[in-house]
Amino acid sequence: MAQHSLLSPSGAHRWMRCPGSIGAESGLPDTSSKYAAEGTAAHELASKCLEFEANAEAVIGDTITVDGFDFTVTADMAHHVNDYCKLVREYAEGGQLLVEKRVNFSEAIGVPDSTGTSDAIVIHPDRLTVIDLKYGMGVKVDATENEQLQLYALGALHDYGLLGDFSEIVMVVHQPRLNHVSEWSIPVEKLEEFRENARLAAIEALDHSSPRLNPGEKQCRFCKAKATCPALKAEISDAVGGVASPADFADLAV
């Protein structure tokens, strides 16, 4: 789940859809919410349960501290983490399970130090499976054509490609608190098409000489620059008939 690179997998829906967002967000402070920290706590618990083949119920009442927030492992959290772990173990049956592995997709997109940490990777002789835990409840996430998961898949192919003759990539999103599982399978050849699109998007995103801002619901939702984005302001102004005031953008500053 943790990210390191400038072009992070978690932000791929922004820099691939709106290349100018990288420059627009530059210099703006990162903000940490209690909800994000809670998700990190759940990921930490899930990774330990998978690595040690443990049951989350065994640590109910324990405290996990993330970004200054203390979270008590409740029966509810334990239930959802166990649900996720059960799903991962089912996908891993007959294969090799890797938990919280940093993958490198630098070569794929042509940008050094482009990495991310995949929640779970399963290696079978003919396929790779990438599984992503989403602990939040605000937005239902689909695995189909998911940019973040495809970057993880590119990294997994780079790092573990010699361990099998892979013909298929399986990408899975699990949101246990929404009782939501989304799976998308594609041939390895299809991922090559995404690789080229990601490479071209990365080149444009890092070229700040003529940043292209392209507003849209998905890429703007968590963009740090949305409150001051001129392209978004213009789009909203057009949508309301050319008349917009600062009040129209108050909710975007949250």
Side-chain angles (χ1 to χ4, degrees), residues 154-174:
L154 286 174
L157 276 175
H158 174 271
D159 294 344
Y160 307 110
L162 297 179
L163 298 182
D165 184 16
F166 306 122
S167 60
E168 181 185 26
I169 303 293
V170 181
M171 285 161 272
V172 182
V173 172
H174 188 203

Side-chain angles (χ1 to χ4, degrees), residues 13-237:
H13 59 282
R14 289 199 297 278
W15 58 261
M16 288 193 66
R17 295 165 184 254
C18 179
S21 65
I22 291 292
E25 289 186 316
S26 179
L28 296 179
D30 291 322
T31 57
S32 178
S33 71
K34 187 173 182 178
Y35 298 108
E38 181 184 33
T40 300
H43 276 79
E44 290 182 4
L45 178 59
S47 66
K48 290 179 179 178
C49 288
L50 288 172
E51 288 173 358
F52 298 104
E53 298 184 0
N55 189 312
E57 292 179 353
V59 294
I60 289 177
D62 285 4
T63 299
I64 302 174
T65 301
V66 177
D67 294 335
F69 298 103
D70 291 331
F71 299 96
T72 299
V73 178
T74 63
D76 188 59
M77 178 183 283
H79 168 74
H80 292 308
V81 167
N82 281 338
D83 190 29
Y84 164 73
C85 291
K86 179 177 181 290
L87 176 134
V88 171
R89 291 173 181 133
E90 289 173 352
Y91 273 98
E93 187 174 350
Q96 178 183 359
L97 173 62
L98 305 174
V99 178
E100 289 287 325
K101 289 296 182 181
R102 184 168 292 279
V103 292
N104 191 326
F105 54 94
S106 303
E107 183 177 320
I109 68 171
V111 179
D113 302 320
S114 294
T115 63
T117 301
S118 178
D119 296 332
I121 298 170
V122 179
I123 302 174
H124 285 95
D126 61 341
R127 69 185 182 278
L128 277 174
T129 302
V130 176
I131 306 173
D132 194 40
L133 167 62
K134 301 293 187 187
Y135 195 69
M137 300 177 64
V139 181
K140 186 174 286 188
V141 181
D142 192 3
T144 303
E145 297 185 351
N146 185 293
E147 294 94 341
Q148 178 180 8
L149 289 182
Q150 289 182 88
L151 287 176
Y152 285 155
L154 286 174
L157 276 175
H158 174 271
D159 294 344
Y160 307 110
L162 297 179
L163 298 182
D165 184 16
F166 306 122
S167 60
E168 181 185 26
I169 303 293
V170 181
M171 285 161 272
V172 182
V173 172
H174 188 203
Q175 291 176 276
R177 297 168 78 189
L178 294 179
N179 194 29
H180 173 65
V181 176
S182 176
E183 177 187 302
W184 185 50
S185 302
I186 62 171
V188 170
E189 292 77 11
K190 185 71 174 178
L191 191 63
E192 293 300 318
E193 297 179 17
F194 172 80
R195 180 201 300 267
E196 180 61 16
N197 291 335
R199 187 186 67 82
L200 294 175
I203 292 173
E204 186 176 6
L206 295 178
D207 179 11
H208 302 323
S209 61
S210 56
R212 178 171 62 90
L213 295 170
N214 178 39
E217 180 180 0
K218 188 172 183 179
Q219 56 267 42
C220 290
R221 183 184 296 272
F222 298 113
C223 179
K224 293 185 295 183
K226 63 185 177 182
T228 57
C229 176
L232 179 58
K233 182 176 181 179
E235 183 169 285
I236 295 177
S237 179

